[in-house]
Amino acid sequence: MNETTYSDGAGLTLKTNEFRLISQLAHERFGLDLKGGKEALVTARLGKWLRKGGFKSFDEYYRHVLADTTGDALVGLIDSLTTNHTSFLREKAHFEFLSRAVMEEFKAVGKLEIWSAACSSGEEPYTIAMCLSDTLGRAPGKRRDFQILATDISTRVLEVAKRGVYEAERFKELPDAWRKAYLLRGDGECKGLFKFKPEVTARISFERLNLIQPFPHRRLFHVIFCRNVMMYFDRKTQQDIVKRLNACLEPGGYLLVGHSESLTGVEHGLQYVRPATYRQEYRGRS
């Protein structure tokens, strides 16, 4: 029987065995679930990297990723196979919920700890920082503090996030008051760009982290954002990740997932609050 192949339309073909090897590597290294039927997607997205790197076949590219001790090739693989689309104030209801929780349930907390667990190019943690700065700035009484941990597996998007510089068009959904309070307008060669003020960036620490591996930190968080990433994992991997995220929550803390995602069918020990919002119950950890 002839082996099935998939073409990218530009001369490169992906063989069934090559797809299997790439799928296994993606699952083992970062939990990505590439089921049968994704061959065309893999062919199209990785084909660009093959042509850029001068590789003559997917097998040659696969062997290159395995041999690369820097990890850069693996980052290129994950960047190609996953979508880093994000925006400021994405899924706005979560930030409205965060603001209410800070003012009500966490009103006695002197320092809030927040984790953006798949921060991509930084729009999510910066939105969290602006939301909390605005909310706490209007809160009566003693001044309260917050710190945000922002992590992602991709070093490429983390470098973008650390710079904190974005095109003006990216901020069109932000309230005018936020743009004035938290952004610096570029001029000269930087015209058309905005950069976050130091008092915003100081609240965020960026780190590389692979969600399928043990978490290196020991701190607990009042809210964890892990949005629009569960869709890439199989059920077993989702189960493991959510269990470990739960262990990182303060009692009564919240886990927020993407509005297109659900933890239905995943044993997690969390209380369903509303769509895409789960809470750790106060009864303690298992």
Side-chain angles (χ1 to χ4, degrees):
M1 180 182 292
N2 293 329
E3 185 174 32
T4 303
T5 60
Y6 302 84
S7 174
D8 72 340
L12 290 170
T13 57
L14 175 70
K15 299 176 182 178
T16 302
N17 185 57
E18 292 171 332
F19 175 74
R20 179 180 60 80
L21 291 172
I22 290 171
S23 298
Q24 288 177 347
L25 178 64
H27 189 271
E28 290 170 2
R29 298 295 180 89
F30 46 90
L32 183 61
D33 185 24
L34 288 173
K35 297 184 176 69
K38 297 288 188 180
E39 292 88 350
L41 179 145
V42 170
T43 305
R45 293 192 176 183
L46 289 186
K48 299 175 183 178
W49 279 89
L50 267 68
R51 287 190 294 276
K52 183 178 179 180
F55 299 103
K56 298 178 180 178
S57 69
F58 283 90
D59 180 69
E60 183 182 353
Y61 171 71
Y62 167 77
R63 296 181 185 281
H64 166 71
V65 174
L66 288 181
D68 178 29
T69 57
T70 68
D72 291 342
L74 188 64
V75 170
L77 178 70
I78 185 174
D79 282 344
S80 296
L81 296 179
T82 57
T83 302
N84 288 313
H85 168 73
T86 186
S87 60
F88 293 101
L89 269 180
R90 185 181 186 184
E91 300 181 343
K92 186 177 179 181
H94 273 152
F95 300 102
E96 294 170 346
F97 180 84
L98 174 65
S99 182
R100 288 196 300 271
V102 166
M103 295 295 285
E104 297 172 7
E105 295 158 67
F106 300 131
K107 63 183 178 181
V109 176
K111 183 177 181 180
L112 291 154
E113 296 280 358
I114 313 294
W115 180 11
S116 172
C119 72
S120 188
S121 48
E123 287 85 344
E124 179 176 272
Y126 285 120
T127 302
I128 296 170
M130 290 186 287
C131 175
L132 292 178
S133 295
D134 179 67
T135 301
L136 295 178
R138 292 183 285 105
K142 185 179 178 181
R143 178 180 173 84
R144 299 161 65 194
D145 200 4
F146 68 89
Q147 190 65 36
I148 301 166
L149 172 65
T151 65
D152 200 277
I153 192 174
S154 172
T155 52
R156 182 184 64 83
V157 296
L158 284 173
E159 286 304 313
V160 175
K162 288 176 183 178
R163 287 196 296 272
V165 178
Y166 303 86
E167 294 179 356
E169 185 178 318
R170 302 298 303 279
F171 298 102
K172 61 184 180 182
E173 299 299 325
L174 292 188
D176 288 339
W178 286 19
R179 285 197 291 267
K180 294 176 182 178
Y182 308 122
L183 297 173
L184 296 171
R185 184 190 300 270
D187 55 20
E189 294 182 356
C190 295
K191 186 176 181 179
L193 300 176
F194 280 87
K195 180 177 183 178
F196 281 98
K197 292 182 178 180
E199 54 264 37
V200 177
T201 58
R203 304 284 189 173
I204 309 171
S205 57
F206 292 97
E207 297 178 13
R208 184 181 184 276
L209 184 142
N210 187 341
L211 285 171
I212 73 167
Q213 297 176 347
F215 304 150
H217 48 258
R218 293 290 179 266
R219 54 202 274 205
L220 299 180
F221 301 90
H222 298 93
V223 182
I224 298 175
F225 286 72
C226 190
R227 306 189 302 169
N228 304 303
V229 68
M230 292 293 179
M231 65 183 75
Y232 293 116
F233 305 127
D234 59 25
R235 187 54 53 85
K236 181 180 179 182
T237 305
Q238 290 176 352
Q239 184 101 17
D240 176 65
I241 291 173
V242 174
K243 180 180 178 181
R244 289 184 290 116
L245 289 174
N246 187 2
C248 293
L249 282 172
E250 289 278 4
Y254 290 97
L255 171 65
L256 308 179
V257 300
H259 278 96
S260 62
E261 300 174 309
S262 170
L263 300 186
T264 302
V266 176
E267 295 179 15
H268 48 70
L270 295 164
Q271 177 187 8
Y272 173 85
V273 176
R274 50 186 276 174
T277 305
Y278 300 83
R279 187 186 195 192
Q280 189 194 88
E281 299 184 75
Y282 282 97
R283 60 191 180 196
R285 289 181 162 72
S286 58

